Amino acid sequence: MTTTRQSVATRETYGRTLLTMAEEHPDIVVLGGDLNVSTFVHLWRDQYPDRFFDFGPAEQNIVGVAAGLAAAGKIPFVSTFSVFGTGRPYDQLRVLISQPSLNVKLVCTHAGILTGEDGMSAHSIEDLSLMCALPSFSVTIPTDAPETEQVIRAAAVTRGPQYVRLPRAATPVVHSDGYQFHPGKAEIMRAGGDVSIIACGSLLAPALDAADSLAGQSIDARVINLHTLAPADENAIIAAAEETGAIVTAEEHYVHGGLGSVVAGVVARNRPVPVEMVALHGYTSSGPANELMVKNGLTSDGVAEAVHRVLKRK
């Protein structure tokens, strides 16, 4: 069962939210990589040109300059596509930002396979693995527009390096306008005692739809929004394992190194229970975003099928 929800592009929410913070946070500067309209930081560029720097397709240079600005007391927001912002400057992210724990905010759009027709080379399916491997970075995957606004506001006032992952396509709104984001604290979207579905980003809405469908089959599924992978809310994961005895993870990312790996690691160390993972198992083809999600099983039906598998192992 699929619930009809309004869809909003979180990358646009990011750009508009950033603009509203300019006067409150005069130390914010924005760095772009020749994709400013797509990431919506052109809104900032047009209104605050003296606090905007465009380096073109030179991601290593962008990150290096961001590190220098952070060391000088500024709050740099770096924005480009995820595949460019995490892969190309990885050594600079590691040495210049993560190791000295500088106050740089890396907000990347066009993550995952919702980039669609841009094809395999533009599908960022490894970014969570890369960024979770950098010890001082926090890693957050907002689900919808209300959560994105809260995440960006929190990023500006939370010291330390942060990676925020946003898709290209509009995503369903599952939060009300009064939603409050709590960094590092998982959100229980739905109570349940038979199984826990732990999801993030674009897979949270399908997880909620799957839980609705499973309820009609007398399966009581808890749904958890694990929006922050680093640091992850281990207490929420352990409670899910102890109280439901089975877990399904759902993410629009490669099966290794992302949400599933984080959850499995916590479960293995603290309370071993069966875990099934709904995720990508390799690169996919070019095509419409929705068709790619169906092709790769990243749907409410895919989540429900994983629940049935894990319950057989419970």
Side-chain angles (χ1 to χ4, degrees):
M1 181 174 66
T2 301
T3 301
T4 300
R5 301 181 177 92
Q6 178 191 12
S7 291
V8 177
T10 55
R11 57 194 174 102
E12 181 172 358
T13 300
Y14 161 57
R16 296 191 182 285
T17 300
L18 195 62
L19 195 63
T20 66
M21 297 160 53
E23 300 304 320
E24 180 184 359
H25 299 284
D27 288 331
I28 290 179
V29 292
V30 178
L31 290 73
D34 201 32
L35 297 164
N36 306 312
V37 173
S38 294
T39 60
F40 277 87
V41 295
H42 70 290
L43 301 174
W44 180 284
R45 176 199 65 193
D46 294 346
Q47 191 157 336
Y48 298 97
D50 58 332
R51 295 163 62 185
F52 180 82
F53 306 92
D54 188 355
F55 293 85
E59 291 80 9
Q60 295 94 336
N61 193 28
I62 296 173
V63 170
V65 172
L69 288 167
K74 299 298 182 182
I75 307 173
F77 276 77
V78 176
S79 290
T80 183
F81 290 3
S82 179
V83 71
F84 304 135
T86 62
R88 291 178 58 82
Y90 195 71
D91 187 52
Q92 285 76 20
L93 291 169
R94 176 179 178 269
V95 175
L96 299 181
I97 295 177
S98 181
Q99 290 182 356
S101 193
L102 289 177
N103 194 32
V104 174
K105 318 303 174 182
L106 179 62
V107 184
C108 289
T109 69
H110 293 62
I113 63 172
L114 290 180
T115 309
E117 292 90 345
D118 285 0
M120 184 187 302
S121 64
H123 294 165
S124 181
I125 69 169
E126 321 90 340
D127 57 308
L128 295 178
S129 178
L130 291 170
M131 301 311 296
C132 284
L134 295 175
S136 59
F137 263 87
S138 70
V139 177
T140 310
I141 312 103
T143 291
D144 59 9
E147 188 165 51
T148 298
E149 178 180 354
Q150 293 292 315
V151 167
I152 297 305
R153 293 189 183 281
V157 297
T158 304
R159 291 201 61 81
Q162 301 186 42
Y163 174 60
V164 179
R165 182 192 215 235
L166 302 175
R168 171 189 186 180
T171 53
V173 175
V174 299
H175 295 101
S176 66
D177 289 338
Y179 165 72
Q180 288 295 314
F181 168 74
H182 300 285
K185 180 69 173 177
E187 179 189 13
I188 308 300
M189 302 292 295
R190 179 185 177 123
D194 293 332
V195 61
S196 293
I197 305 172
I198 303 179
C200 65
S202 61
L203 266 291
L204 183 59
L208 290 167
D209 291 340
D212 287 343
S213 176
L214 291 163
Q217 304 168 44
S218 299
I219 297 173
D220 190 21
R222 178 180 307 185
V223 179
I224 300 173
N225 174 20
L226 197 70
H227 46 63
T228 304
L229 297 193
D233 186 349
E234 296 198 2
N235 290 333
I237 298 170
I238 295 168
E242 290 179 342
E243 295 167 11
T244 69
I247 292 174
V248 169
T249 63
E251 61 188 313
E252 185 202 346
H253 185 268
Y254 187 42
V255 69
H256 297 297
L259 171 68
S261 294
V262 169
V263 171
V266 173
V267 169
R269 291 192 300 270
N270 296 278
R271 183 63 168 84
V273 297
V275 176
E276 289 283 337
M277 300 180 188
V278 176
L280 291 161
H281 290 268
Y283 295 107
T284 190
S285 56
S286 174
N290 289 339
E291 292 182 16
L292 293 179
M293 296 290 274
V294 172
K295 176 182 178 180
N296 290 278
L298 306 183
T299 62
S300 59
D301 287 344
V303 174
E305 290 168 7
V307 167
H308 286 294
R309 290 196 304 270
V310 83
L311 287 176
K312 291 178 180 178
R313 301 169 52 204
K314 183 175 177 179

